[in-house]
mmCIF file of all heavy atoms in Angstrom:
data_model
loop_
_atom_site.group_PDB
_atom_site.id
_atom_site.type_symbol
_atom_site.label_atom_id
_atom_site.label_comp_id
_atom_site.label_asym_id
_atom_site.label_seq_id
_atom_site.Cartn_x
_atom_site.Cartn_y
_atom_site.Cartn_z
ATOM 1 N N PRO E 26 15.466 7.191 -46.826
ATOM 2 C CA PRO E 26 15.398 6.162 -45.837
ATOM 3 C C PRO E 26 15.801 6.621 -44.381
ATOM 4 O O PRO E 26 16.776 7.356 -44.268
ATOM 5 C CB PRO E 26 16.450 5.064 -46.374
ATOM 6 C CG PRO E 26 16.526 5.454 -47.786
ATOM 7 C CD PRO E 26 16.295 6.808 -47.903
ATOM 8 N N GLY E 27 15.025 6.193 -43.468
ATOM 9 C CA GLY E 27 15.347 6.534 -42.099
ATOM 10 C C GLY E 27 15.052 7.972 -41.696
ATOM 11 O O GLY E 27 15.303 8.226 -40.473
ATOM 12 N N ASN E 28 14.572 8.777 -42.467
ATOM 13 C CA ASN E 28 14.130 10.130 -42.091
ATOM 14 C C ASN E 28 12.982 10.111 -41.298
ATOM 15 O O ASN E 28 11.903 9.640 -41.781
ATOM 16 C CB ASN E 28 13.971 10.977 -43.368
ATOM 17 C CG ASN E 28 13.965 12.503 -43.042
ATOM 18 O OD1 ASN E 28 13.451 12.864 -41.988
ATOM 19 N ND2 ASN E 28 14.323 13.263 -43.938
ATOM 20 N N PRO E 29 12.969 10.611 -40.092
ATOM 21 C CA PRO E 29 11.809 10.544 -39.261
ATOM 22 C C PRO E 29 10.860 11.735 -39.309
ATOM 23 O O PRO E 29 10.165 12.172 -38.419
ATOM 24 C CB PRO E 29 12.484 10.590 -37.842
ATOM 25 C CG PRO E 29 13.606 11.355 -38.025
ATOM 26 C CD PRO E 29 14.121 11.053 -39.367
ATOM 27 N N PHE E 30 10.654 12.287 -40.640
ATOM 28 C CA PHE E 30 9.888 13.528 -40.713
ATOM 29 C C PHE E 30 8.474 13.258 -40.470
ATOM 30 O O PHE E 30 7.694 14.371 -40.300
ATOM 31 C CB PHE E 30 10.121 14.136 -42.230
ATOM 32 C CG PHE E 30 10.037 13.153 -43.308
ATOM 33 C CD1 PHE E 30 8.903 12.415 -43.673
ATOM 34 C CD2 PHE E 30 11.145 13.033 -44.093
ATOM 35 C CE1 PHE E 30 8.881 11.685 -44.736
ATOM 36 C CE2 PHE E 30 11.122 12.137 -45.198
ATOM 37 C CZ PHE E 30 9.966 11.485 -45.441
ATOM 38 N N TYR E 31 7.883 12.192 -40.324
ATOM 39 C CA TYR E 31 6.515 11.849 -40.071
ATOM 40 C C TYR E 31 6.358 11.448 -38.583
ATOM 41 O O TYR E 31 5.356 11.198 -38.222
ATOM 42 C CB TYR E 31 5.856 10.926 -40.963
ATOM 43 C CG TYR E 31 6.644 9.622 -41.135
ATOM 44 C CD1 TYR E 31 6.388 8.612 -40.225
ATOM 45 C CD2 TYR E 31 7.584 9.497 -42.105
ATOM 46 C CE1 TYR E 31 7.071 7.430 -40.366
ATOM 47 C CE2 TYR E 31 8.332 8.187 -42.259
ATOM 48 C CZ TYR E 31 7.992 7.099 -41.343
ATOM 49 O OH TYR E 31 8.664 6.091 -41.489
ATOM 50 N N ASN E 32 7.373 11.437 -37.877
ATOM 51 C CA ASN E 32 7.199 11.063 -36.338
ATOM 52 C C ASN E 32 7.023 12.200 -35.596
ATOM 53 O O ASN E 32 7.482 13.266 -35.818
ATOM 54 C CB ASN E 32 8.615 10.352 -35.882
ATOM 55 C CG ASN E 32 8.736 8.980 -36.503
ATOM 56 O OD1 ASN E 32 7.877 8.474 -37.063
ATOM 57 N ND2 ASN E 32 9.978 8.601 -36.459
ATOM 58 N N ILE E 33 6.286 12.063 -34.540
ATOM 59 C CA ILE E 33 5.991 13.122 -33.495
ATOM 60 C C ILE E 33 6.479 12.584 -32.285
ATOM 61 O O ILE E 33 6.071 11.533 -31.713
ATOM 62 C CB ILE E 33 4.483 13.431 -33.356
ATOM 63 C CG1 ILE E 33 4.060 13.917 -34.779
ATOM 64 C CG2 ILE E 33 4.222 14.493 -32.384
ATOM 65 C CD1 ILE E 33 2.551 14.141 -34.773
ATOM 66 N N THR E 34 7.458 13.176 -31.631
ATOM 67 C CA THR E 34 7.994 12.768 -30.388
ATOM 68 C C THR E 34 7.646 13.738 -29.288
ATOM 69 O O THR E 34 7.391 14.893 -29.397
ATOM 70 C CB THR E 34 9.593 12.594 -30.443
ATOM 71 O OG1 THR E 34 10.125 13.949 -30.737
ATOM 72 C CG2 THR E 34 9.988 11.670 -31.549
ATOM 73 N N THR E 35 7.729 13.228 -28.098
ATOM 74 C CA THR E 35 7.498 14.041 -26.835
ATOM 75 C C THR E 35 8.106 13.324 -25.746
ATOM 76 O O THR E 35 8.500 12.155 -25.791
ATOM 77 C CB THR E 35 5.949 14.100 -26.636
ATOM 78 O OG1 THR E 35 5.689 15.066 -25.580
ATOM 79 C CG2 THR E 35 5.208 12.921 -26.202
ATOM 80 N N ALA E 36 8.308 14.117 -24.641
ATOM 81 C CA ALA E 36 8.998 13.575 -23.461
ATOM 82 C C ALA E 36 8.081 14.030 -22.241
ATOM 83 O O ALA E 36 7.507 15.176 -22.336
ATOM 84 C CB ALA E 36 10.391 14.055 -23.196
ATOM 85 N N LEU E 37 8.005 13.177 -21.275
ATOM 86 C CA LEU E 37 7.125 13.449 -20.125
ATOM 87 C C LEU E 37 7.965 13.458 -18.846
ATOM 88 O O LEU E 37 8.803 12.488 -18.735
ATOM 89 C CB LEU E 37 5.901 12.491 -19.976
ATOM 90 C CG LEU E 37 4.969 12.399 -21.134
ATOM 91 C CD1 LEU E 37 4.027 11.331 -20.919
ATOM 92 C CD2 LEU E 37 4.328 13.699 -21.277
ATOM 93 N N GLU E 38 7.678 14.278 -17.980
ATOM 94 C CA GLU E 38 8.479 14.202 -16.703
ATOM 95 C C GLU E 38 7.380 13.750 -15.732
ATOM 96 O O GLU E 38 6.343 14.349 -15.428
ATOM 97 C CB GLU E 38 9.046 15.551 -16.327
ATOM 98 C CG GLU E 38 9.704 15.557 -14.932
ATOM 99 C CD GLU E 38 10.314 16.914 -14.654
ATOM 100 O OE1 GLU E 38 10.295 17.690 -15.485
ATOM 101 O OE2 GLU E 38 10.669 17.088 -13.421
ATOM 102 N N ILE E 39 7.762 12.719 -14.928
ATOM 103 C CA ILE E 39 6.772 12.240 -13.934
ATOM 104 C C ILE E 39 7.461 12.684 -12.539
ATOM 105 O O ILE E 39 8.651 12.347 -12.212
ATOM 106 C CB ILE E 39 6.724 10.778 -13.936
ATOM 107 C CG1 ILE E 39 6.043 10.257 -15.274
ATOM 108 C CG2 ILE E 39 5.830 10.179 -12.690
ATOM 109 C CD1 ILE E 39 5.958 8.776 -15.500
ATOM 110 N N ARG E 40 6.640 13.368 -11.791
ATOM 111 C CA ARG E 40 7.173 13.858 -10.437
ATOM 112 C C ARG E 40 6.517 12.975 -9.384
ATOM 113 O O ARG E 40 5.436 12.578 -9.492
ATOM 114 C CB ARG E 40 6.784 15.205 -10.128
ATOM 115 C CG ARG E 40 7.531 16.109 -11.182
ATOM 116 C CD ARG E 40 7.376 17.560 -10.799
ATOM 117 N NE ARG E 40 8.095 18.478 -11.847
ATOM 118 C CZ ARG E 40 7.830 19.727 -11.907
ATOM 119 N NH1 ARG E 40 7.129 20.325 -11.224
ATOM 120 N NH2 ARG E 40 8.647 20.348 -12.864
ATOM 121 N N GLY E 41 7.368 12.689 -8.335
ATOM 122 C CA GLY E 41 6.758 11.743 -7.297
ATOM 123 C C GLY E 41 7.034 10.336 -7.607
ATOM 124 O O GLY E 41 7.546 9.965 -8.656
ATOM 125 N N ALA E 42 6.514 9.481 -6.807
ATOM 126 C CA ALA E 42 6.681 8.057 -6.943
ATOM 127 C C ALA E 42 5.536 7.530 -7.921
ATOM 128 O O ALA E 42 4.430 7.581 -7.592
ATOM 129 C CB ALA E 42 6.629 7.263 -5.562
ATOM 130 N N PRO E 43 5.964 7.058 -9.138
ATOM 131 C CA PRO E 43 4.924 6.565 -10.010
ATOM 132 C C PRO E 43 4.383 5.082 -9.660
ATOM 133 O O PRO E 43 5.091 4.343 -9.053
ATOM 134 C CB PRO E 43 5.628 6.434 -11.388
ATOM 135 C CG PRO E 43 7.127 6.294 -10.973
ATOM 136 C CD PRO E 43 7.264 7.094 -9.724
ATOM 137 N N ASP E 44 3.226 4.950 -9.954
ATOM 138 C CA ASP E 44 2.575 3.588 -9.694
ATOM 139 C C ASP E 44 2.964 2.789 -10.932
ATOM 140 O O ASP E 44 2.382 2.747 -11.995
ATOM 141 C CB ASP E 44 1.010 3.728 -9.660
ATOM 142 C CG ASP E 44 0.463 2.311 -9.323
ATOM 143 O OD1 ASP E 44 0.943 1.286 -9.640
ATOM 144 O OD2 ASP E 44 -0.779 2.413 -8.984
ATOM 145 N N LEU E 45 4.158 2.054 -10.786
ATOM 146 C CA LEU E 45 4.687 1.250 -11.978
ATOM 147 C C LEU E 45 3.779 0.211 -12.497
ATOM 148 O O LEU E 45 3.782 -0.013 -13.771
ATOM 149 C CB LEU E 45 6.111 0.691 -11.503
ATOM 150 C CG LEU E 45 7.220 1.568 -11.283
ATOM 151 C CD1 LEU E 45 8.415 1.034 -10.808
ATOM 152 C CD2 LEU E 45 7.333 2.676 -12.418
ATOM 153 N N ALA E 46 3.131 -0.470 -11.615
ATOM 154 C CA ALA E 46 2.190 -1.448 -12.058
ATOM 155 C C ALA E 46 1.043 -0.933 -12.962
ATOM 156 O O ALA E 46 0.619 -1.376 -13.996
ATOM 157 C CB ALA E 46 1.495 -2.244 -10.889
ATOM 158 N N ALA E 47 0.414 0.308 -12.518
ATOM 159 C CA ALA E 47 -0.574 0.981 -13.320
ATOM 160 C C ALA E 47 0.085 1.531 -14.623
ATOM 161 O O ALA E 47 -0.714 1.413 -15.675
ATOM 162 C CB ALA E 47 -1.164 2.105 -12.536
ATOM 163 N N LEU E 48 1.259 1.970 -14.592
ATOM 164 C CA LEU E 48 1.823 2.470 -15.778
ATOM 165 C C LEU E 48 2.066 1.311 -16.868
ATOM 166 O O LEU E 48 1.730 1.432 -17.947
ATOM 167 C CB LEU E 48 3.214 3.171 -15.528
ATOM 168 C CG LEU E 48 3.933 3.703 -16.650
ATOM 169 C CD1 LEU E 48 3.133 4.678 -17.425
ATOM 170 C CD2 LEU E 48 5.259 4.366 -16.168
ATOM 171 N N ARG E 49 2.586 0.273 -16.344
ATOM 172 C CA ARG E 49 2.778 -0.988 -17.238
ATOM 173 C C ARG E 49 1.416 -1.464 -17.732
ATOM 174 O O ARG E 49 1.269 -1.839 -18.924
ATOM 175 C CB ARG E 49 3.438 -2.078 -16.417
ATOM 176 C CG ARG E 49 3.634 -3.296 -17.356
ATOM 177 C CD ARG E 49 4.430 -4.428 -16.697
ATOM 178 N NE ARG E 49 4.775 -5.317 -17.656
ATOM 179 C CZ ARG E 49 6.027 -5.309 -18.342
ATOM 180 N NH1 ARG E 49 6.753 -4.324 -18.182
ATOM 181 N NH2 ARG E 49 6.166 -6.179 -19.301
ATOM 182 N N THR E 50 0.344 -1.483 -16.960
ATOM 183 C CA THR E 50 -0.925 -1.951 -17.375
ATOM 184 C C THR E 50 -1.476 -1.060 -18.372
ATOM 185 O O THR E 50 -1.972 -1.488 -19.443
ATOM 186 C CB THR E 50 -1.973 -2.091 -16.191
ATOM 187 O OG1 THR E 50 -1.430 -3.011 -15.204
ATOM 188 C CG2 THR E 50 -3.332 -2.440 -16.606
ATOM 189 N N THR E 51 -1.249 0.300 -18.255
ATOM 190 C CA THR E 51 -1.637 1.248 -19.216
ATOM 191 C C THR E 51 -0.953 1.147 -20.588
ATOM 192 O O THR E 51 -1.670 1.044 -21.541
ATOM 193 C CB THR E 51 -1.512 2.651 -18.646
ATOM 194 O OG1 THR E 51 -2.279 2.758 -17.421
ATOM 195 C CG2 THR E 51 -1.965 3.704 -19.620
ATOM 196 N N LEU E 52 0.415 0.981 -20.542
ATOM 197 C CA LEU E 52 1.137 0.835 -21.736
ATOM 198 C C LEU E 52 0.709 -0.517 -22.439
ATOM 199 O O LEU E 52 0.527 -0.549 -23.769
ATOM 200 C CB LEU E 52 2.551 0.739 -21.439
ATOM 201 C CG LEU E 52 3.163 2.252 -20.915
ATOM 202 C CD1 LEU E 52 4.586 2.047 -20.543
ATOM 203 C CD2 LEU E 52 3.000 3.254 -21.986
ATOM 204 N N ASP E 53 0.474 -1.592 -21.770
ATOM 205 C CA ASP E 53 0.087 -2.820 -22.362
ATOM 206 C C ASP E 53 -1.295 -2.769 -22.890
ATOM 207 O O ASP E 53 -1.610 -3.332 -24.096
ATOM 208 C CB ASP E 53 0.000 -3.982 -21.238
ATOM 209 C CG ASP E 53 1.397 -4.548 -20.913
ATOM 210 O OD1 ASP E 53 2.455 -4.113 -21.613
ATOM 211 O OD2 ASP E 53 1.520 -5.243 -19.800
ATOM 212 N N GLU E 54 -2.227 -1.932 -22.371
ATOM 213 C CA GLU E 54 -3.536 -1.745 -22.910
ATOM 214 C C GLU E 54 -3.516 -0.937 -24.250
ATOM 215 O O GLU E 54 -4.144 -1.198 -25.225
ATOM 216 C CB GLU E 54 -4.466 -1.083 -21.926
ATOM 217 C CG GLU E 54 -5.849 -0.945 -22.408
ATOM 218 C CD GLU E 54 -6.608 -2.180 -22.683
ATOM 219 O OE1 GLU E 54 -6.115 -3.357 -22.535
ATOM 220 O OE2 GLU E 54 -7.760 -2.056 -23.237
ATOM 221 N N ILE E 55 -2.504 0.065 -24.192
ATOM 222 C CA ILE E 55 -2.451 0.902 -25.346
ATOM 223 C C ILE E 55 -1.882 -0.025 -26.587
ATOM 224 O O ILE E 55 -2.386 0.026 -27.671
ATOM 225 C CB ILE E 55 -1.393 2.098 -25.139
ATOM 226 C CG1 ILE E 55 -2.130 3.133 -24.196
ATOM 227 C CG2 ILE E 55 -1.000 2.705 -26.556
ATOM 228 C CD1 ILE E 55 -1.131 4.189 -23.686
ATOM 229 N N ASP E 56 -0.961 -0.889 -26.261
ATOM 230 C CA ASP E 56 -0.396 -1.927 -27.193
ATOM 231 C C ASP E 56 -1.513 -2.853 -27.764
ATOM 232 O O ASP E 56 -1.598 -3.083 -28.946
ATOM 233 C CB ASP E 56 0.826 -2.662 -26.662
ATOM 234 C CG ASP E 56 1.320 -3.694 -27.530
ATOM 235 O OD1 ASP E 56 1.778 -3.414 -28.591
ATOM 236 O OD2 ASP E 56 1.263 -4.840 -27.076
ATOM 237 N N ARG E 57 -2.337 -3.208 -26.844
ATOM 238 C CA ARG E 57 -3.534 -4.096 -27.257
ATOM 239 C C ARG E 57 -4.441 -3.484 -28.086
ATOM 240 O O ARG E 57 -4.897 -4.087 -29.132
ATOM 241 C CB ARG E 57 -4.126 -4.706 -26.039
ATOM 242 C CG ARG E 57 -5.206 -5.773 -26.313
ATOM 243 C CD ARG E 57 -6.066 -6.148 -25.169
ATOM 244 N NE ARG E 57 -6.859 -5.051 -24.741
ATOM 245 C CZ ARG E 57 -7.986 -4.746 -25.389
ATOM 246 N NH1 ARG E 57 -8.446 -5.386 -26.416
ATOM 247 N NH2 ARG E 57 -8.782 -3.774 -24.893
ATOM 248 N N ARG E 58 -4.824 -2.232 -27.785
ATOM 249 C CA ARG E 58 -5.931 -1.577 -28.593
ATOM 250 C C ARG E 58 -5.447 -0.855 -29.839
ATOM 251 O O ARG E 58 -6.353 -0.686 -30.653
ATOM 252 C CB ARG E 58 -6.492 -0.464 -27.607
ATOM 253 C CG ARG E 58 -7.204 -1.023 -26.424
ATOM 254 C CD ARG E 58 -7.725 0.003 -25.481
ATOM 255 N NE ARG E 58 -8.715 0.813 -26.235
ATOM 256 C CZ ARG E 58 -9.314 1.846 -25.657
ATOM 257 N NH1 ARG E 58 -9.152 2.143 -24.529
ATOM 258 N NH2 ARG E 58 -10.141 2.571 -26.406
ATOM 259 N N HIS E 59 -4.231 -0.519 -30.032
ATOM 260 C CA HIS E 59 -3.859 0.141 -31.216
ATOM 261 C C HIS E 59 -2.899 -0.713 -32.134
ATOM 262 O O HIS E 59 -1.766 -0.729 -31.977
ATOM 263 C CB HIS E 59 -3.089 1.463 -30.769
ATOM 264 C CG HIS E 59 -4.063 2.384 -30.019
ATOM 265 N ND1 HIS E 59 -4.993 3.090 -30.608
ATOM 266 C CD2 HIS E 59 -4.198 2.460 -28.693
ATOM 267 C CE1 HIS E 59 -5.714 3.803 -29.657
ATOM 268 N NE2 HIS E 59 -5.205 3.451 -28.486
ATOM 269 N N GLU E 60 -3.525 -1.166 -33.151
ATOM 270 C CA GLU E 60 -2.777 -2.038 -34.196
ATOM 271 C C GLU E 60 -1.796 -1.243 -34.844
ATOM 272 O O GLU E 60 -0.718 -1.793 -35.164
ATOM 273 C CB GLU E 60 -3.707 -2.658 -35.202
ATOM 274 C CG GLU E 60 -4.718 -3.665 -34.624
ATOM 275 C CD GLU E 60 -5.671 -4.207 -35.602
ATOM 276 O OE1 GLU E 60 -5.901 -3.479 -36.720
ATOM 277 O OE2 GLU E 60 -6.238 -5.192 -35.528
ATOM 278 N N SER E 61 -1.962 0.110 -35.076
ATOM 279 C CA SER E 61 -1.032 0.887 -35.811
ATOM 280 C C SER E 61 0.331 0.883 -35.139
ATOM 281 O O SER E 61 1.414 1.059 -35.646
ATOM 282 C CB SER E 61 -1.532 2.295 -35.987
ATOM 283 O OG SER E 61 -1.676 2.963 -34.660
ATOM 284 N N LEU E 62 0.364 0.689 -33.855
ATOM 285 C CA LEU E 62 1.662 0.635 -32.983
ATOM 286 C C LEU E 62 2.322 -0.677 -33.108
ATOM 287 O O LEU E 62 3.515 -0.809 -32.838
ATOM 288 C CB LEU E 62 1.366 0.977 -31.551
ATOM 289 C CG LEU E 62 0.801 2.291 -31.269
ATOM 290 C CD1 LEU E 62 0.476 2.520 -29.743
ATOM 291 C CD2 LEU E 62 1.719 3.461 -31.737
#
């Protein structure tokens, strides 16, 4: 139980000023399109 052996993690570094509205829209679209998430 709770062992994350099948998870794949990653970290991203964003340099500069991110477009937060575009990032939020992108994450919401990923959520909408991918039932597995």
Side-chain angles (χ1 to χ4, degrees):
N28 189 329
F30 46 67
Y31 53 86
N32 291 342
I33 300 171
T34 61
T35 189
L37 301 173
E38 179 181 348
I39 299 174
R40 295 186 180 171
D44 182 340
L45 296 178
L48 180 57
R49 180 175 191 90
T50 299
T51 300
L52 293 174
D53 286 346
E54 183 64 8
I55 290 169
D56 178 56
R57 186 190 69 76
R58 292 178 61 182
H59 296 281
E60 290 179 342
S61 62
L62 299 175

